[in-house]
Amino acid sequence: MSHSLLVRPAQARHVPALLELLDALFRLESDFAFDAGKAERGLRMLLGQDDALALAAEARGRVVGLCTVQTVISTAEGGPVGWVEDVVVAEDWRGRGVGRRLLAEAERWAAERGLTRLQLLADGDNRAALDFYDRLGWGATRLVCRRRTL
Ligand SMILES: CC(C)(COP(=O)(O)OP(=O)(O)OC[C@H]1O[C@@H](n2cnc3c(N)ncnc32)[C@H](O)[C@@H]1OP(=O)(O)O)[C@@H](O)C(=O)NCCC(=O)NCCS
């Protein structure tokens, strides 16, 4: 399968398909509500950002996966690290190596830019995603997420 899968930086023409993937992802995460207008604005901002990456996975001309990375400065690391977000694969393409390819490409991009760590948040109830990250060698932390709306 992997020979027919293309993982590369997303382009503006991919946005409608990426919005469908984000809709599916947000349905799984009770902390978020999907808003197509906001999602599109956010995606387009990411596409124009030098220190961020939005990866699209394409199979047979169809967008089947998304993963984004954004750079922040870590005082713990003394340099740039990356936040991985928006990891989602189309339902009929799950379990076929697309997620693994997306994260491998995100890691390659991050390492090339001197990022020393990647981190992400996952819904504590999303056992499938947690098992996926375990399988890919992502360590667990004791951190929990808090937020305050402005
Ligand atoms: C989680 C998700 C991104 C994984 O992508 P995927 O393309 O299905 O995963 P892959 O096929 O690349 O699997 C990679 C490895 O993880 C394992 N894995 C994937 N899904 C798994 C699951 N549900 N349970 C256990 N292991 C799993 C695979 O067995 C595979 O291991 P292997 O390569 O050693 O055989 C995808 O299932 C998805 O989009 N889920 C819904 C959205 C979501 O939850 N996103 C994460 C938000 S934090």
Side-chain angles (χ1 to χ4, degrees), residues 70-134:
Q70 299 182 53
T71 305
V72 295
I73 304 298
S74 163
T75 53
E77 291 286 330
V81 301
W83 273 107
V84 171
E85 295 202 312
D86 308 313
V87 177
V88 57
V89 172
E91 204 167 352
D92 56 331
W93 274 83
R94 290 179 195 162
R96 297 164 74 174
V98 179
R100 183 184 275 282
R101 280 281 303 278
L102 281 164
L103 286 173
E105 184 56 25
E107 279 185 37
R108 197 196 59 72
W109 178 89
E112 210 170 64
R113 277 159 186 76
L115 276 61
T116 53
R117 186 176 68 204
L118 289 176
Q119 57 208 25
L120 59 82
L121 297 170
D123 189 311
D125 294 329
N126 192 346
R127 194 63 253 169
L130 296 173
D131 288 346
F132 164 73
Y133 293 122
D134 279 345

